[in-house]
Amino acid sequence: MPVDPYILLLLGTVGLAALFPASGTAADVASGASTAAIAFLFFLYGARLSTREAVDGLKHWRLHGTVLICTFVMFPLLGLAARGLEPVLLTHDLYTGLLFLTLVPSTIQSSIAFTSIARGNVPAAICAGSFSSLAGIVVTPLLAAVLLGNSGGGFSADSVVRIVLQLLVPFVAGQLLRPWIGAFITRHKKVLGYVDRGSILLVVYTAFSEGMVQGIWHQVSAVRLAGLLVVEALLLGVMLLLTWYGAKALRFNREDRIAIQFAGSKKSLASGLPMAGVLFGAHASLAVLPLMLFHQMQLMVCAVIAKRRARDPEVTGEDGRTGPNEPSGTGGTTGTGGPAAGTGGSGGSARSQVSPAATSRIAVGTGTHPG
């Protein structure tokens, strides 16, 4: 089961913040740099998103609507149901972080990769992840305002203004400037990918430094962390079952069910960390801890599921080699995605034959990164 190298970098950043937390003037500098990094990150998100791809992807509204409902309705409902675990199993801060975890959008790159390995509808996974990330810029803060209120992060009207200035305005600016800078971003997507990762590491360092200075880590014990892991494992298990059998009940075909399962059961570290920095401020370190743990857990579990799905009888013969794909079901979204998907017609075989290596290139081409 894979360990995401980026998680190791994040843990190293947490360790650095624990040993050398920024304080005083250094903390002010780090906070300012983190704010600028978040704004630049969402500017890049806006500049990368092709409006044409988004419009083309709307053809699969049933599939994308299902993923959005799983991400922004079912997940939050389960998060609210976990409130009964406070304070017996989870502290107030850990529960706040768990609830925030249920509000963030879905992943893009890992959803695409696992969908490809499992021989699912890769273009649909690309569009579903992109729509979820786009919707999350608006939906996640709104849900946080309703469900979190002043809990932990002090969400208020000032938070709304910060979100608009740090997330929405840069995103819109990136969209508006895309006709002039889109080609440059495409040529330098690898370098800008490192900028993405570096920006998030800076956000993590700033958040955990503030937590160390305020001493909030003394509030978390090993028993509480173990309890958090158990709760997150149950949360992930419920969502994996719900997305798979729920999609079956809605009469989606096998390829679409795979895309729904991997896009609808996962949460984005890349989007969640910057949002937490804006929403929670000095409390962001504990708020993002559940998200960091859940991110690694979902990668490990989904990697196993994807490999098992690739060996399903529908796609393998008796000798273990790939066989014909299951035809599209009556309720499935059989079309392909936009131009980024690189496929044309409505058949299933073209979608399912995208290799993991090719999927990585697709994901890089959309400007995404792990998380």
Side-chain angles (χ1 to χ4, degrees):
M1 294 188 294
V3 175
D4 186 358
Y6 195 58
I7 285 290
L8 299 180
L9 285 176
L10 289 170
L11 293 176
T13 303
V14 172
L16 181 64
L19 295 174
F20 306 102
S23 60
T25 303
D28 294 336
V29 172
S31 179
S34 176
T35 299
I38 292 172
F40 184 63
L41 192 63
F42 278 82
F43 173 80
L44 290 178
Y45 288 167
R48 287 165 175 160
L49 179 64
S50 168
T51 305
R52 180 182 175 186
E53 292 170 13
V55 172
D56 287 343
L58 290 175
K59 299 173 184 177
H60 320 303
W61 61 271
R62 285 190 69 244
L63 186 147
H64 303 316
T66 301
V67 172
L68 290 175
I69 289 174
C70 291
T71 303
F72 296 117
V73 177
M74 301 310 302
F75 253 115
L77 287 176
L78 291 174
L80 290 174
R83 189 183 296 275
L85 302 175
E86 178 195 350
V88 177
L89 191 60
L90 301 176
T91 65
H92 174 72
D93 289 330
L94 287 180
Y95 171 72
T96 300
L98 178 70
L99 184 56
F100 172 73
L101 146 71
T102 66
L103 308 182
V104 302
S106 178
T107 63
I108 300 179
Q109 181 169 326
S110 55
S111 295
I112 297 169
F114 291 137
T115 299
S116 174
I117 292 171
R119 304 182 185 279
N121 189 337
V122 175
I126 294 173
C127 294
S130 299
F131 289 154
S132 179
S133 295
L134 178 60
I137 296 176
V138 176
V139 175
T140 297
L142 290 177
L143 288 175
V146 174
L147 301 181
L148 295 177
N150 291 324
S151 176
F155 193 91
S156 63
D158 291 338
S159 299
V160 175
V161 174
R162 290 200 305 270
I163 290 167
V164 171
L165 294 178
Q166 287 187 244
L167 307 184
L168 190 57
V169 171
F171 181 87
V172 172
Q175 273 283 284
L176 294 176
L177 293 176
R178 177 178 168 78
W180 294 276
I181 65 175
F184 174 84
I185 289 178
T186 301
R187 290 196 305 268
H188 299 87
K189 56 181 178 285
K190 184 175 182 179
V191 175
L192 291 176
Y194 293 128
V195 174
D196 284 358
R197 295 176 175 89
S199 299
I200 295 173
L201 292 175
L202 178 58
V203 172
V204 171
Y205 174 77
T206 303
F208 278 85
S209 289
E210 292 175 347
M212 289 298 298
V213 171
Q214 296 188 8
I216 61 176
W217 281 103
H218 298 295
Q219 306 171 19
V220 184
S221 65
V223 174
R224 297 288 191 179
L225 288 177
L228 176 63
L229 287 173
V230 171
V231 173
E232 292 193 335
L234 291 174
L235 176 64
L236 178 61
V238 169
M239 286 307 301
L240 285 170
L241 292 173
L242 182 63
T243 50
W244 182 253
Y245 290 104
K248 182 178 182 180
L250 292 174
R251 301 183 62 81
F252 284 99
N253 63 44
R254 177 189 175 276
E255 292 179 336
D256 290 345
R257 288 168 63 194
I258 289 173
I260 290 171
Q261 183 177 52
F262 289 125
S265 65
K266 302 173 60 209
K267 291 295 182 176
S268 172
L269 190 69
S271 297
L273 288 178
M275 290 181 180
V278 176
L279 293 172
F280 293 96
H283 299 269
S285 54
L286 279 182
V288 301
L289 180 62
L291 179 59
M292 292 175 62
L293 295 176
F294 188 84
H295 176 81
Q296 180 57 44
M297 185 183 297
Q298 70 186 12
L299 289 181
M300 297 172 69
V301 174
C302 289
V304 174
I305 293 176
K307 292 176 182 178
R308 291 180 64 88
R309 291 270 182 263
R311 297 194 296 269
D312 283 349
E314 294 93 334
V315 294
T316 57
E318 294 182 359
D319 59 356
R321 292 180 299 178
T322 301
N325 290 289
E326 180 185 283
S328 299
T330 57
T333 51
T334 58
T336 60
T343 57
S346 60
S349 60
R351 290 193 298 264
S352 62
Q353 292 176 356
V354 180
S355 68
T359 299
S360 298
R361 292 193 294 273
I362 292 173
V364 171
T366 61
T368 60
H369 47 80

